[in-house]
């Protein structure tokens, strides 16, 4: 066993003395040592309860004959980091979390790993770490929070951000805003809609690295505690069977995850993270072109908040992710032979009925014939851009309008709140990419303000930054190359004509090549005064079209 490096033989007597100092018994010395990587913190509502999850995991490990060792990672709450400098540190934390897990599990060689994530960057970071370490691994998330409720209507954090725009437009009172605020997040757990955290937890289940129920079972349910205990027990089987992440995370498994992504209408951030995980796993040809191909051939059969009033926990009640996979398999869209942490995909869905027909639509009656996410190309985004098309109003699927240009999220938000954006405009926010931000901030505040002010069906927004999974509307992110790298988005000027054509996958600046060439000759990247980690991040991060991974 790998843990023999710290407990076997006369030369390891000093190591054993340190283990004994922690209370490890003679009998425990002979058992497998299992890492429990817990992202619990008091900062994040999705993580507030993860100590309880961890205790259940450790009970499961002990039940099955292992010895658990727990440590914690950092984590950023995107909601609390939104629309200020802190958001620059959200995506950038992904690489730091991955590196820190590598450090801990190399310095302290254990035999297998149970990962306990729950929110945005932490899920992909742990998946990347699982690939890098390639030890038997299993995931169990903290689960989604319940939806908020006001006046007998469910709502979530996305509507809470939209309320800010409604208040600014005079559509609701300060008392209304406070009432929504108090009811929006009624329990712990990852925010209640198909936002990035829930998207990634669902895809972790779909790709085979977590047990069924991981993505949808509510945070406050006893089912979640049982799932955690089962994950702890199951890791011991994976160790005995020597099943490792790279045995599971094949190209076919990534395609299964992408099919699920498109069927569910997940957060556009999943594109960024699946690219990064595939890169860490060494899986070739998982790129923007493949994502576009999968999108065009996979129907969207779920429409969850923020695209509707249906929430993650509603989907859990009708079979969750496994029911989605079952329905997709009816059109041979899922590779059933893919290995998971408990058998093959075929084993997991064999006894399921599939879609209920309402929350999960039948495959022959989808919400749309292609996927919930679209990849756009064109002269603005030759390397690609991403839009959550399943949450775009029909009238905005093809839109041409005058550009309104801003060099930061703050500039754009101030203009929106001041009523300076007109119906028909195309808002352009640049220098918010991985290098230019740095950190590729999410733009939930400006997009939510547009919805709240009634402009969601008449204004488009494009950016080299990215969006929260809570964003809806004609919001196109991940524009690559980014402005700071010389991308065309940095050369767009006020009132230029810009076309966002989602059905034809096109993002186009309608300006002649001669004018573009003249602008490019005079372009200079703005200077940045960076220090600390974010400076090192900007030096090494690659394009959003490559998952914003570090260069090799």
């Amino acid at each position: 066993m790998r843990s023999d490096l710290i407990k076997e033989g006369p030369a390891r007597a000093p190591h054993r003395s340190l283990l004994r100092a922690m209370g490890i018994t003679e009998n425990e010395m002979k058992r497998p040592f299992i890492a429990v990587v817990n992202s619990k913190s008091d900062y994040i509502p999705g993580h507030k309860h993860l100590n309880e999850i961890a205790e259940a995991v450790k009970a499961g490990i002990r039940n099955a004959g292992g010895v658990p060792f727990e440590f914690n990672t950092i984590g950023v709450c995107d909601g609390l980091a939104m629309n200020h400098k802190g958001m620059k540190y959200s995506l950038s934390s992904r690489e730091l979390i991955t590196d820190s897990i590598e450090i801990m599990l190399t310095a302290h060689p254990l035999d297998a790993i149970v990962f306990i994530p729950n929110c945005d960057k932490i899920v992909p970071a742990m998946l990347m770490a699982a690939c890098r370490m390639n030890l038997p691994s299993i995931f169990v998330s903290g689960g989604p929070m319940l939806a908020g409720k006001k006046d007998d209507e469910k709502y979530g954090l996305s509507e809470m951000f939209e309320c800010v725009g409604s208040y600014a437009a005079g559509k609701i009172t300060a008392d209304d805003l406070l009432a929504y605020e108090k009811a929006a997040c009624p329990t712990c757990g990852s925010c209640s809609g198909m936002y990035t955290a829930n998207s990634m937890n669902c895809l972790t289940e779909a790709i085979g690295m977590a047990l069924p129920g991981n993505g949808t079972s509510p945070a406050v349910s006893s089912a979640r505690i049982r799932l955690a205990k089962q994950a702890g027990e199951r890791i011991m089987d994976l160790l005995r069977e020597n099943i490792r992440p790279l045995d599971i995370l094949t190209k076919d498994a990534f395609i299964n995850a992408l099919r699920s992504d498109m069927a569910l209408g997940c957060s556009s951030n999943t594109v960024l993270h699946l690219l990064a995980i595939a890169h860490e796993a060494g899986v070739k040809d998982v790129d923007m072109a493949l994502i576009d191909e999968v999108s065009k051939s996979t129907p969207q059969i779920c429409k969850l908040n923020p695209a509707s009033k249906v929430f993650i926990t509603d989907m859990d009640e009708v079979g969750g992710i496994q029911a989605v996979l079952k329905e997709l398999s009816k059109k041979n869209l899922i590779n059933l032979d893919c290995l998971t942490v408990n058998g093959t995909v075929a084993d997991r869905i064999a006894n399921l009925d599939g879609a209920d027909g309402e929350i999960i639509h039948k495959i022959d009656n989808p919400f749309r014939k292609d996927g919930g996410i679209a990849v756009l190309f064109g002269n603005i985004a030759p390397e690609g851009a991403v839009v959550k098309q399943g949450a775009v109003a029909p009238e905005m699927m093809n839109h041409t309008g005058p550009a309104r240009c801003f060099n930061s999220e703050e500039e754009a938000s101030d203009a929106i709140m001041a009523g300076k954006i007109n119906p028909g405009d195309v808002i352009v926010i640049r220098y918010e990419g991985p290098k230019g931000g740095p950190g590729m901030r999410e733009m939930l505040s400006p997009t939510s303000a547009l919805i709240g002010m009634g402009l969601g069906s008449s204004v488009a927004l494009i950016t080299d930054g990215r969006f929260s999974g809570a964003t809806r509307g004609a919001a196109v992110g991940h524009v690559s190359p980014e402005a700071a790298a010389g991308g065309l988005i940095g050369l767009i000027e006020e009132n230029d004509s810009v076309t966002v054509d989602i059905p034809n996958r096109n993002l186009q600046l309608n300006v002649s090549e001669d004018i573009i060439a003249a602008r490019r000759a005079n372009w200079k990247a703005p200077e940045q005064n960076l220090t600390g980690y974010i400076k090192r991040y900007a030096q090494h991060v690659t394009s959003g079209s490559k998952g914003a991974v570090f260069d090799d």
Side-chain angles (χ1 to χ4, degrees), residues 224-487:
R224 177 62 54 178
I225 299 300
R226 292 195 300 272
L227 187 70
K229 198 172 294 185
Q230 289 161 1
E233 293 171 345
R234 181 60 190 157
I235 192 61
M236 300 302 294
D237 296 328
L238 293 169
L239 177 61
R240 281 189 289 270
E241 296 162 15
N242 195 29
I243 296 173
R244 299 169 182 251
L246 298 188
D247 300 323
I248 295 171
L249 296 173
T250 63
K251 184 175 180 180
D252 283 339
F254 276 97
I255 292 174
N256 281 354
L258 286 168
R259 295 280 187 204
S260 305
D261 195 342
M262 299 305 165
L264 291 164
C266 287
S267 164
S268 57
N269 282 319
T270 56
V271 171
L272 202 67
H273 298 320
L274 287 172
L275 289 171
I277 297 161
H279 177 268
E280 195 70 55
V283 176
K284 305 298 183 184
D285 302 321
V286 176
D287 54 21
M288 296 288 265
L290 176 65
I291 293 168
D292 184 46
E293 177 187 330
V294 172
S295 171
K296 289 176 178 176
S297 59
T298 308
Q300 183 178 355
I301 58 175
C302 298
K303 193 177 274 277
L304 303 171
N305 181 264
S308 78
K309 292 296 184 182
V310 178
F311 288 80
I312 293 287
T313 52
D314 297 322
M315 188 171 71
D316 183 67
E317 294 174 1
V318 295
I321 300 306
Q322 300 305 311
V324 172
L325 293 172
K326 178 76 171 189
E327 197 61 28
L328 292 174
S329 73
K330 294 177 181 178
K331 293 290 186 181
N332 298 316
L333 294 174
I334 295 295
N335 188 313
L336 300 177
D337 295 328
C338 284
L339 185 65
T340 78
V341 291
N342 65 325
T344 65
V345 175
D347 296 331
R348 304 211 305 184
I349 67 173
N351 298 319
L352 300 179
D353 295 328
D356 68 307
E358 293 184 15
I359 291 173
I360 306 172
H361 274 211
K362 300 290 186 181
I363 193 76
D364 292 323
N365 182 36
F367 285 101
R368 55 182 306 120
K369 293 181 179 179
D370 56 355
I373 293 174
V375 178
L376 311 186
F377 295 94
N379 66 354
I380 297 177
E383 295 178 8
V386 180
V387 62
K388 188 173 181 176
Q389 65 173 343
V392 177
E395 57 268 39
M396 291 301 295
M397 292 296 287
N398 191 331
H399 178 80
T400 298
R404 304 296 308 281
C405 299
F406 305 96
N407 288 345
S408 71
E409 177 190 2
E410 287 84 358
E411 289 181 17
S413 293
D414 288 347
I416 293 167
M417 291 301 210
K420 296 179 180 179
I421 301 300
N422 303 309
D425 286 348
V426 178
I427 297 172
V428 179
I429 307 177
R430 65 273 188 104
Y431 300 108
E432 289 284 7
K435 284 185 177 294
M440 205 177 185
R441 285 194 291 181
E442 290 183 345
M443 304 288 163
L444 180 56
S445 290
T447 57
S448 297
L450 289 171
I451 297 293
M453 298 176 80
L455 294 171
S457 59
S458 61
V459 171
L461 187 154
I462 69 172
T463 181
D464 51 9
R466 60 195 179 91
F467 300 109
S468 164
T471 288
R472 59 189 175 111
V476 182
H478 308 199
V479 171
S480 301
E482 62 175 293

Side-chain angles (χ1 to χ4, degrees), residues 7-20:
K7 64 180 183 179
E8 188 66 27
R12 298 300 186 256
H15 304 66
R16 290 193 297 274
S17 68
L18 293 170
L19 292 169
R20 293 180 195 280

Side-chain angles (χ1 to χ4, degrees), residues 190-203:
S190 49
C191 296
S192 56
M194 187 54 88
Y195 313 151
T196 304
N198 286 329
S199 293
M200 288 308 304
N201 285 330
C202 288
L203 296 187

